[in-house]
Amino acid sequence: MLECRLTDRLGDYIDLTSDERTAVDRLTERELRLRRGATLLRENDRPGELYVLTRGTMMSYVLLDDGSRQIVRFLLPGDLVGMAGVIYQQSPETITASTDCTVAPFDRALLGILVDKHPRLGALLLALAQMERVVCTDRLAAIGRTTAKARVAALLLEVRDRLRQLDASIVDTFAPGITQEEIGDATGLTAVHVNRMLRQLEDDGLIAREGGRITLLDGPTLARISSYVNRYAGFDLGWLPPAR
Amino acid sequence: MLECRLTDRLGDYIDLTSDERTAVDRLTERELRLRRGATLLRENDRPGELYVLTRGTMMSYVLLDDGSRQIVRFLLPGDLVGMAGVIYQQSPETITASTDCTVAPFDRALLGILVDKHPRLGALLLALAQMERVVCTDRLAAIGRTTAKARVAALLLEVRDRLRQLDASIVDTFAPGITQEEIGDATGLTAVHVNRMLRQLEDDGLIAREGGRITLLDGPTLARISSYVNRYAGFDLGWLPPAR
DNA sequence: CGGCGCCTTGAGGCTGATCAAGGAACGTGG
DNA sequence: CCACGTTCCTTGATCAGCCTCAAGGCGCCG
C-alpha cells in the first residue's frame, strides 16, 4: 500500500531544513488506524484536531438533505486532512476511509505553533491551500460547464496525476480504487451515467479497462476534450521566505 | 461606493497590532484604477503580482474552449485578488472589473516577507484561504447536486451575507450588481433559466424584485431549500499564534 | 431617435436522471 | 466446498430538467 509522510510531501516542493523536518515530524507522533468505511470526522462535528493521512485513501464529502452526496476531494497519503474545518466551530465536511488507513492526529494549536516557528512552512501551507482551491475551481468549471464525458475524463486524469506524484512508476495504468458511484458523486453524475461514459471513452479508444484497472490510452486527447490542466505541476515558489 | 482596506478585512477576524497594521498597509501603497470591463489578469498570463481590491467589484472566472465561462468568485473590496495564481507560472483564472474599481498591486515576494515577519498574519491568510475553499466546495455541491432554483437561492444568500459583512446596514435588500448572465455563469446555468428561477422564487413569495434591487423576503426558507450555510461566520481562530 | 445591454417569455429538443433488471466477483458461514 | 448475501458493474427504457433558439420589451445613453 502506498505510503507518504508529510515531510515527504512538503519535500516535493522545497528542500526542508533539518529543523523544519523535525517540526513537521512532530505533528505525526501519534497514530490512528481506521478500517475501510470508518468515519474520521462528521459534518457539524467540532473539529478539534487535524490529521495527516499516512497510509491508505480517504475522501471528504458533503451530504445534502435529500441524501445525495458531493465528494469534494479524494485524499491520498501525505495529504493534510481536515484543514477545511480548521477555522470553523463546526466541520463543513465529512471524512471517511475508502480503504483501511492510518492517520496521524494533531491538535490544531500545533499548526499555529508550526507556522509561528517556521514561517516558511506557513507560506508553503498557504501555497498548497491555494493549489487545492484551484483544483476545486477546475472541478467547479467541469461540473458547471462541461459534458458528462468530459467530467469523467478530467477525473481520471487527475487521479492518474496524483497517483503518479506518489509513485513515479505509475504512468498510464492504475487502479483508481474508487467505485463508479464515487466517480459520480465527485463529478455530479449518477453511477449509471458514469458507467455509460466509461463505456463511451472505451469505445472511443481513449481508455481501456480490465479487472478494475484503467489504462489511459490517449492522455492528450482526454486532456483536450476535458480542458484538463495538471495543477500538481508548474509551480513557482520563488517568493517563499528563507527557512528559519 | 463601498470601500474596504485589507487591514479592515483582517481586522474583522483578529485585533491587529500596530506593527501588523503597518506591514499590511505597506502592501497597498501603490494604487491602480480600472474601468468597468477592464481585465486585470488573463488566464495563462504570468502572474507576477498580487492585488488588494479596495474599491468596486471584480470577478474571477475561467473560460472554456467552447466559449462558455465559469465564474469562480465575485470579488468585493477588502478581498485579496490573484492569490490562486501565486503558486503557478501561469494564472489559472481571469480577473476583470465588474464596475470601475481601485486595486493595490504588490509583488508576491512581499507576501513571503509579510508571512516571515508576521507569522500570525500568515496563519490568518491560511485560514482565509481555507474559508474560500469551503465556499468553493459549497458551490461545487450546489452545482453538482441541487436544482437550478436552489443554486440561484444559494447565490443570492451568499451575495447578501458578503455585502452585509462590508456594510452592516444591508439586511435583506440589496442591489447585487450582477447580471442574470453572470448569475448563470456562477451557478452553471443559462441566463434564460436564471431568469425563470428568479421568477419562480418571486412567485413563491421568497424574494421581491424592483429596479435591479432584490429583497429576500424569507431568508430561512431560502436557506433551507438551498442547503445554504453562511461560511463568513462561525469562526474559531483560537489556534492562531500570538502576534509578533 | 436609434442602438445597445439586459430582462422576459414561449416552444421544442437533448443530456443526463430515474426506474428496472440482471450479471460478475468476492467474502462468509454452514 | 458450496450456498448465499453483498457490492459493484452493466444495459435498456422512459422521463424531466435545463438548454437552445427565437422574439419582443424596457431603460439608458450617445
Side-chain angles (χ1 to χ4, degrees), chain A residues 36 145 178-181 192 195-196 199 209:
Chain A
R36 167 185 159 81
R145 289 294 186 222
I178 52 183
T179 66
Q180 292 179 5
E181 184 169 7
V192 172
N195 184 280
R196 286 188 233 273
R199 163 143 312 285
R209 293 184 294 163

Side-chain angles (χ1 to χ4, degrees), chain A residues 16-160:
Chain A
L16 297 175
T17 66
S18 67
D19 268 9
E20 286 174 333
R21 192 175 298 272
T22 306
V24 171
D25 279 334
R26 190 157 302 146
L27 300 181
T28 57
E29 282 174 347
R30 279 186 293 153
E31 192 173 78
L32 189 61
R33 283 166 188 278
L34 294 171
R35 290 293 184 135
R36 167 185 159 81
T39 297
L40 180 61
L41 187 65
R42 215 174 291 271
E43 230 172 309
N44 298 325
D45 276 359
R46 168 165 270 281
E49 296 199 302
L50 296 166
Y51 309 86
V52 179
L53 177 57
T54 51
R55 270 213 310 270
T57 61
M58 311 187 76
M59 52 191 187
S60 92
Y61 60 84
V62 177
L63 287 176
L64 285 91
D65 302 329
D66 65 354
S68 63
R69 174 175 71 166
Q70 175 68 47
I71 294 178
V72 171
R73 186 170 165 81
F74 296 107
L75 300 163
L76 299 182
D79 280 341
L80 267 169
V81 176
M83 281 293 281
V86 76
I87 50 170
Y88 294 110
Q89 291 156 29
Q90 299 194 310
S91 171
E93 62 190 2
T94 300
I95 294 165
T96 65
S98 311
T99 65
D100 289 354
C101 56
T102 308
V103 299
F106 62 92
D107 192 278
R108 57 185 173 182
L110 286 184
L111 179 67
I113 293 170
L114 182 76
V115 171
D116 191 45
K117 296 249 172 61
H118 300 280
R120 184 170 80 137
L121 294 178
L124 180 59
L125 292 177
L126 178 57
L128 294 179
Q130 294 302 332
M131 190 192 70
E132 285 192 26
R133 183 163 104 63
V134 172
V135 168
C136 186
T137 64
D138 282 353
R139 182 87 60 81
L140 199 63
I143 296 183
R145 289 294 186 222
T146 73
T147 64
K149 197 198 271 192
R151 294 184 223 172
V152 172
L155 189 78
L156 293 178
L157 288 164
E158 191 197 331
V159 169
R160 180 201 57 178

Side-chain angles (χ1 to χ4, degrees), chain A residues 116, chain B residues 14-17 20 118-125 240-243:
Chain A
D116 191 45
Chain B
I14 57 175
D15 289 324
L16 298 175
T17 66
E20 287 174 333
H118 299 280
R120 183 170 81 138
L121 294 178
L124 179 58
L125 292 176
L240 292 187

